[in-house]
């Protein structure tokens, strides 16, 4: 088993880190040894001073009286709450940035006016009536009102129904959710209710807690993910397919390099604009560099990769979160700017070892030994970008005097930017070509691969690449998002040439439409964007999403945002493969509920499988079952 990485670049840099004796995720994972079986099966609790409680054969309840199924579900529910609040934080940042932009306080502009007007119309935002008739709002007035509507949605009372669900969810799904009593309010209010109800001695019923997680998943998608991605499209443009570069070879040590890491595009977008200024490029050359580059890392990089063309300033993406330490160890990065998510807390040692300046650009992010903080503020972002560039110029001089090390790392081409609009464009403006090739069996179905990356069952991205290859060779198209998207980009599966790894039907579709067999859709927040595409396909066929020959796979899920995505997929009626095994294995009734019984309620279910061939078998069998039921 490859217990380091599927990528030669990361393996190469791991050897450098190992030789240098620097702490790294791979060695820390191994050092943990065997994991606690109580924790890994969900049968431990540390919520109150009577604990920690651990359930075993002769102790089947905690001190408070909670049983194993409810304890495991409550633990799982806590993960889901954190995922919801993280996505909601991002949505709030989008709304406040859109508002500030509407007021002329940021360097950003409205890039997609048509999407702004369409979103506003869906929200029921209209012009003001006066004596001379209705006055149509200006673009900036409209943007401000849309921002206010996003914020209002986030805070919708949990006793009311979130308007975004009514606007964007399929009628057939809303009927199911109403019957189950899980039509939600806004994510802030729902998260407050859910956190309170999952305290000690409040909700100790695993079925009730599971339904609450489903409700939480719905508000996460419609109250946070969909509005935040629409808002980012309005600000920075709707993604369209274009070619870019990925992998650690995008780091050229002779340049001043600023890497933006996390999940939000704001600082990165401002840096790209500032780095294009001739004055800043000249400053880099005056410092002895060939120029100034902006580099994307993990999801912040994906947000930028989708929307900004490759040029001599924005040069590409390094990889997903398990590539962060490897990227820093190249010694080629001057500033590593960290926004709200996915910055491992043991990076401080890399600063002196590899001559890099770590900077927190979010009020959320802090770690021992990192003192430079420039928390993002929309109205200050232009000056903040310049401050980061100045820090990078200062650092480059130090790095240059220490001498450059060129590791001759590879780069990989990728085609990225497949939004729903881009997919329609590739299909000639209509879903009909896609529907036709599904109906006639040229491709069997579509799988959304939305995943993190983890070392739990294999090395970085090994399982993600394995299942994607299994699916495309079976004529099943893959749409990828999250850290799993970077896995497939660096792994070469999002190129036009990757059609040669697909089955004959999918290969023919790739050639006909000039697309890869794996469509690079973006970040984990693009789960909402994928759902909008699935909704459009279901509407076009006149069926519920649960009837479609589609499925979801998270072959290397890791953290809290991933769990809430998976819960929503089940609520939406989709077969949802996950690996590794979530921490619920010690709760047999809960496992049965999540993997069997819930299908009778929502039409979706979880399928846990760590062997990727068997996982692909299960997905294919599900897709063929749905095809047969539709008579195609």
């Amino acid at each position: 088993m490859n217990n380091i990485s599927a990528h030669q670049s990361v393996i190469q840099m791991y050897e450098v880190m190992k030789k240098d004796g620097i702490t790294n995720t791979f060695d820390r994972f191994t050092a943990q040894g065997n994991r606690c079986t109580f924790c890994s099966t969900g049968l431990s609790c540390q919520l109150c001073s009577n604990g920690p409680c651990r359930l075993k054969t002769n102790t089947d309840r905690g001190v408070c009286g909670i049983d194993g199924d409810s304890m495991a579900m409550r633990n799982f529910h806590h993960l889901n709450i954190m995922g919801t609040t993280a996505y909601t934080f991002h949505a709030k940042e989008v709304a406040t940035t859109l508002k500030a932009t509407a007021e002329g306080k940021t360097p950003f502009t409205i890039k997609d006016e048509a999407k702004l007007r369409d979103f506003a119309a869906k929200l029921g935002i209209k012009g003001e009536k006066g004596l001379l008739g209705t006055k149509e709002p200006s673009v900036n007035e409209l943007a401000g009102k849309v921002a206010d509507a996003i914020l209002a949605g986030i805070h919708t009372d949990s006793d009311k129904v979130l308007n975004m669900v009514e606007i964007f969810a399929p009628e057939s799904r809303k009927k199911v959710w109403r019957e189950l009593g899980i039509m939600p309010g806004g994510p802030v209010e729902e998260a407050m209710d859910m956190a309170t109800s999952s305290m000690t001695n409040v909700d100790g019923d695993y079925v009730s807690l599971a339904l609450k997680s489903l409700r939480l998943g719905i508000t996460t998608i419609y109250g946070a993910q969909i509005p935040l991605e629409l808002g980012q499209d309005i600000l920075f443009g709707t993604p369209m397919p274009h070619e870019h570069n990925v992998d650690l070879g995008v780091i050229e040590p002779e340049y001043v390099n600023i890497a933006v890491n996390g999940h939000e595009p704001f600082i990165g977008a401002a840096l790209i604009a500032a780095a294009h200024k001739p004055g800043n490029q000249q400053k880099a050359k005056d410092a002895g560099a060939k120029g100034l580059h902006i580099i994307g890392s993990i999801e912040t990089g994906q947000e930028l990769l989708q929307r900004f063309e490759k040029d001599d300033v924005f040069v590409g993406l390094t990889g997903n979160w398990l590539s962060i330490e490897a990227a820093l160890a190249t010694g080629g990065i001057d500033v590593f700017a960290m926004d709200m998510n996915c910055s491992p807390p043991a990076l401080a040692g890399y600063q002196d070892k590899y001559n890099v300046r770590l900077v927190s650009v979010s009020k959320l992010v802090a770690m021992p030994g990192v003192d430079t903080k420039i928390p993002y503020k929309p109205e200050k972002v232009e000056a903040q970008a310049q401050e980061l560039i100045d820090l990078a110029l200062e650092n480059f001089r130090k790095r240059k005097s220490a001498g450059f090390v060129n590791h001759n790392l590879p780069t990989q081409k990728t085609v990225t930017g497949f939004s729903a609009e881009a997919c329609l464009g590739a299909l000639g403006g209509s879903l009909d070509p896609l529907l036709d090739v599904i109906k006639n069996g040229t491709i069997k179905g579509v799988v959304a691969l939305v995943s993190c990356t983890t070392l739990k069952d294999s090395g970085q991205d090994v399982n993600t690449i394995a299942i994607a290859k299994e699916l495309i060779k079976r004529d099943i198209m893959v749409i990828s998002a999250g850290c799993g998207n970077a896995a497939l980009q660096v792994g070469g599966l999002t190129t036009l040439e990757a059609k040669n790894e697909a089955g004959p039907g999918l290969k023919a579709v790739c050639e006909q439409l000039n697309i890869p067999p794996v469509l690079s859709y973006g970040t984990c927040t693009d789960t909402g964007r994928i759902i909008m595409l699935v909704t459009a396909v279901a509407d076009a066929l006149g069926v519920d999403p649960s009837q479609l020959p589609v499925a979801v796979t998270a072959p290397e899920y890791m953290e809290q945002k991933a769990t809430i995505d998976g819960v929503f997929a089940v609520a939406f009626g989709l077969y949802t493969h996950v690996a590794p095994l979530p921490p619920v294995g010690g709760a047999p009734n809960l496992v049965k509920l999540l993997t069997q019984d819930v299908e009778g309620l929502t039409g979706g279910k979880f399928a846990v499988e760590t062997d990727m061939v068997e996982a692909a078998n299960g997905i294919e069998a599900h897709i063929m079952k749905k095809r047969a039921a539709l008579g195609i």
Side-chain angles (χ1 to χ4, degrees), residues 171-358:
E171 288 298 327
S172 57
R173 280 290 95 189
K174 288 186 282 188
K175 181 177 184 293
V176 170
W177 298 336
R178 287 190 192 101
E179 291 173 353
L180 290 173
I182 57 174
M183 283 286 275
V188 165
E189 299 292 325
E190 291 290 349
M192 178 176 67
D193 288 4
M194 301 306 176
T196 306
S197 70
S198 58
M199 290 173 61
T200 304
N201 295 341
V202 181
D203 188 339
D205 180 347
Y206 77 95
V207 175
S208 171
L209 289 165
L211 287 170
K212 286 176 178 176
S213 272
L214 292 174
R215 179 176 176 128
L216 202 56
I218 297 165
T219 194
T220 300
I221 296 295
Y222 293 104
Q225 286 190 15
I226 287 176
L228 83 80
E229 283 298 344
L230 292 175
Q232 289 180 166
D233 288 353
I234 289 166
L235 282 166
F236 305 118
T238 298
M240 290 293 163
H242 55 278
E243 192 173 79
H244 234 298
N245 285 337
V246 294
D247 209 349
L248 298 180
V250 302
I251 304 168
E252 297 182 67
E254 298 86 0
Y255 285 80
V256 176
N257 291 311
I258 301 176
V260 284
N261 182 75
H263 282 236
E264 298 179 331
F266 315 117
I267 289 285
L271 279 166
I272 289 171
H276 274 97
K277 294 179 179 178
N280 279 324
Q281 290 294 330
Q282 188 58 51
K283 286 180 183 178
K285 291 173 183 175
D286 291 344
K290 290 183 176 180
L292 169 60
H293 281 172
I294 307 301
I295 296 167
S297 174
I298 68 166
E299 308 298 74
T300 291
Q302 291 287 357
E303 293 283 9
L304 300 174
L305 206 70
Q306 292 182 79
R307 296 178 173 90
F308 291 86
E309 299 280 345
K310 175 171 66 72
D311 59 16
D312 57 358
V313 170
F314 180 49
V315 295
L317 172 84
T318 53
N320 56 33
W321 86 267
L322 280 173
S323 297
I324 290 172
E325 292 163 335
L328 297 179
T330 65
I333 294 174
D334 292 294
V335 163
F336 191 70
M338 305 173 288
D339 70 49
M340 64 163 284
N341 216 173
C342 293
S343 294
L347 295 180
Y350 287 71
Q351 292 185 115
D352 293 333
K353 190 73 175 179
Y354 300 111
N355 295 309
V356 58
R357 186 76 171 266
L358 302 179

Side-chain angles (χ1 to χ4, degrees), residues 2 27 51 83 158 163 180-181 199 230 236 241 268 284 320-321 340 344 441 463 474 521 523 537 559 581 588:
N2 181 350
D27 289 344
S158 56
N163 65 336
L180 290 173
M199 290 173 61
L230 292 175
F236 305 118
N320 56 33
W321 86 267
M340 64 163 284
N463 281 345
R474 300 174 191 222
Y521 228 71
T523 74
V537 172
E559 50 100 88
L581 173 67

Side-chain angles (χ1 to χ4, degrees), residues 418 423 426-428 433-434 437 477 496 507-516:
F418 283 96
C423 289
L427 296 168
L434 176 62
V437 294
M477 180 179 285
L496 298 177
K507 181 178 180 180
V509 171
C510 292
E511 290 174 340
Q512 176 189 349
L513 300 177
N514 199 34
I515 58 173

Side-chain angles (χ1 to χ4, degrees), residues 430-454:
S430 167
L431 284 171
D432 289 344
L434 176 62
L435 300 179
D436 289 344
V437 294
I438 292 175
K439 287 176 183 176
N440 65 27
T442 304
I443 62 174
K444 295 172 185 173
V446 179
V447 170
L449 188 155
V450 186
S451 193
C452 309
T453 182
T454 178

Side-chain angles (χ1 to χ4, degrees), residues 568-604:
F568 172 77
V570 172
F572 200 62
L574 303 181
Y575 178 100
T576 304
H577 162 248
V578 296
L581 173 67
V584 297
N589 294 318
L590 175 59
V591 170
K592 182 173 181 291
L593 173 66
L594 297 177
T595 62
Q596 298 178 41
D597 299 345
V598 71
E599 188 173 18
L601 301 175
T602 70

